[in-house]
Amino acid sequence: MIKFLELKRSLAARRYNALCLYGNDEWVKRRALSNVCEAYGVQDDGFGVDWLEQPTAESLSLACMTPSMFCPIKLVVCQGPFFPEAKETPSGGRADNKKIAEKTAELRKSLCNLLDNADGSFCVVFLADSDKNFLNINGLETVNCNRLDKTDVVRWIVSYAKRQGVAVDNLCAQLIADYCLLDMSRISVETQKLIDFGEVTPQSVEQLVHKDAEFAVYDLSEAIAAKNARRATEIYRGLVSRGEEPRALFALIYNFYRRVYYVKTSAFSNDELARYLGVKPASVGYAKETASRYKAIQLSCALQYLAAADARIKAFADENEVMNLLIMQLISL
């Protein structure tokens, strides 16, 4: 298995007949595929890459055996499931498990035969959610394209900027990662913006990188947890002055403290909570940091304050007054 950040070096060191780019981050998969195209001298312009949707063994073999007219190596990209997937039955069980296992074994054998006879004229790339069924196939290497953790995100920012001729230290890279909540789609855009600006300093990051609204709420919650009323009101007024609606900010704060309460009282992992709550794992991580500063009973009280504020907003009270009072109530916990 190759990690995403090691893929370029691995591609420079050797050629692969087949790769499986698997994971839960689509940006990482797209960038990994771009690295493969670059390493093999292929342009994804509609002619250099053969895209197959849910290919059969026959269509895959035919695509690999048909030479490319425009590139030295034929790149075949398979999206959608190649191996059959189990389906739920009305009773909640799995249907036709034996048939699925037999079909999977048949496809694995066909793929092994294709790769055993590979002469270096093609490379197959599978885009998958999981590496299941792609393990232990001679000639095929898996590439982990799961979400990057903060350490890897910082490494990516520093190395990407270095390749562009701009120095970025770890502190600035961490600020970019935090402000974008480890979302690589946003991080790539914001990092490029700073590179185009010409220098990356804490000041330029603060001025040019748009903070994710959820991070701004985390910033506000940190000031509240520290009982810093002046800082908390400054953050709130700054958000309103840049165009954020008080009602929308209230919704974000309500969701954040609800998340903090669940994190405090739950034994689930970050990934499990993120899946259940429908948020990014980084959001759960920030909630966990805030939760460590409260007792469960304090967070229960915070939810009561939030519910009361919600009722006042729905009763058409002045939203700014409601928000300022709410901030003071949360600080008093």
Side-chain angles (χ1 to χ4, degrees):
M1 185 271 290
I2 304 171
K3 290 184 178 180
F4 166 70
L5 293 181
E6 300 169 351
L7 180 58
K8 270 199 167 184
R9 185 167 65 249
S10 297
L11 289 169
R14 60 168 290 192
R15 296 285 180 174
Y16 297 94
N17 293 323
L19 294 162
C20 172
L21 312 182
Y22 74 94
N24 53 21
D25 193 310
E26 291 304 316
W27 183 93
V28 176
K29 281 185 195 173
R30 291 196 305 271
R31 185 52 65 97
L33 179 58
S34 177
N35 289 342
V36 174
C37 290
E38 182 181 335
Y40 286 89
V42 175
Q43 294 292 323
D44 185 10
D45 53 5
F47 298 100
V49 177
D50 248 8
W51 286 84
L52 302 181
E53 184 73 33
Q54 296 185 336
T56 63
E58 293 74 18
S59 64
L60 175 60
S61 179
L62 179 62
C64 292
M65 295 300 107
T66 306
S68 172
M69 296 178 62
F70 304 96
C71 305
I73 292 178
K74 180 69 171 290
L75 191 62
V76 180
V77 179
C78 304
Q79 54 185 351
F82 178 66
F83 294 101
E85 298 178 328
K87 297 179 180 178
E88 296 287 344
T89 64
S91 61
R94 295 288 183 176
D96 300 326
N97 280 338
K98 185 177 180 180
K99 289 183 179 179
I100 289 172
E102 290 174 352
K103 182 64 176 175
T104 297
E106 180 185 328
L107 287 170
R108 279 179 60 89
K109 183 178 179 181
S110 173
L111 183 56
C112 286
N113 288 337
L114 175 67
L115 298 180
D116 285 343
N117 295 308
D119 59 2
S121 63
F122 66 83
C123 176
V124 183
V125 179
F126 294 95
L127 304 180
D129 294 330
S130 165
D131 61 350
K132 182 183 177 182
N133 298 321
F134 289 99
L135 298 174
N136 302 318
I137 295 178
N138 289 334
L140 184 147
E141 186 62 77
T142 59
V143 181
N144 187 331
C145 294
N146 282 315
R147 295 184 188 94
L148 304 180
D149 61 24
K150 188 172 180 178
T151 301
D152 286 339
V153 169
V154 169
R155 281 178 57 202
W156 183 89
I157 294 170
V158 171
S159 63
Y160 178 76
K162 185 177 180 180
R163 291 197 298 271
Q164 304 293 317
V166 176
V168 178
D169 61 30
N170 281 354
L171 173 61
C172 291
Q174 288 174 23
L175 286 175
I176 298 167
D178 285 337
Y179 288 176
C180 297
L181 287 180
L182 306 184
D183 183 334
M184 284 302 301
S185 296
R186 286 204 57 227
I187 286 169
S188 61
V189 172
E190 298 293 349
T191 302
Q192 189 61 56
K193 184 199 301 182
L194 289 162
I195 290 171
D196 293 341
F197 178 70
E199 65 173 352
V200 183
T201 63
Q203 293 74 25
S204 65
V205 172
E206 186 69 32
Q207 291 170 3
L208 297 177
V209 176
H210 179 76
K211 292 182 183 179
D212 189 292
E214 284 194 43
F215 178 81
V217 168
Y218 164 73
D219 210 10
L220 175 59
S221 73
E222 282 292 282
I224 290 171
K227 301 190 182 301
N228 189 336
R230 180 177 177 181
R231 173 66 178 154
T233 52
E234 281 179 355
I235 293 171
Y236 170 69
R237 289 170 185 164
L239 289 168
V240 172
S241 67
R242 82 178 194 190
E244 300 286 352
E245 293 289 335
R247 183 181 294 262
L249 289 173
F250 169 77
L252 288 172
I253 291 171
Y254 202 159
N255 287 335
F256 182 78
Y257 273 91
R258 186 169 61 93
R259 197 178 305 146
V260 170
Y261 178 78
Y262 288 146
V263 166
K264 187 71 174 181
T265 58
S266 170
F268 291 119
S269 68
N270 284 17
D271 285 339
E272 289 173 322
L273 278 169
R275 187 168 64 254
Y276 295 144
L277 297 172
V279 298
K280 304 166 189 170
S283 298
V284 176
Y286 289 124
K288 187 167 282 188
E289 289 181 30
T290 302
S292 67
R293 308 177 75 166
Y294 289 98
K295 296 177 181 178
I297 193 169
Q298 290 176 305
L299 292 171
S300 179
C301 187
L303 293 181
Q304 292 175 30
Y305 286 141
L306 286 156
D310 185 36
R312 288 196 293 273
I313 289 175
K314 289 176 179 175
F316 303 104
D318 183 286
E319 293 176 0
N320 263 315
E321 288 184 8
V322 172
M323 287 296 295
N324 282 307
L325 173 61
L326 175 62
I327 289 171
M328 292 302 111
Q329 288 174 323
L330 294 173
I331 287 174
S332 70
L333 290 174

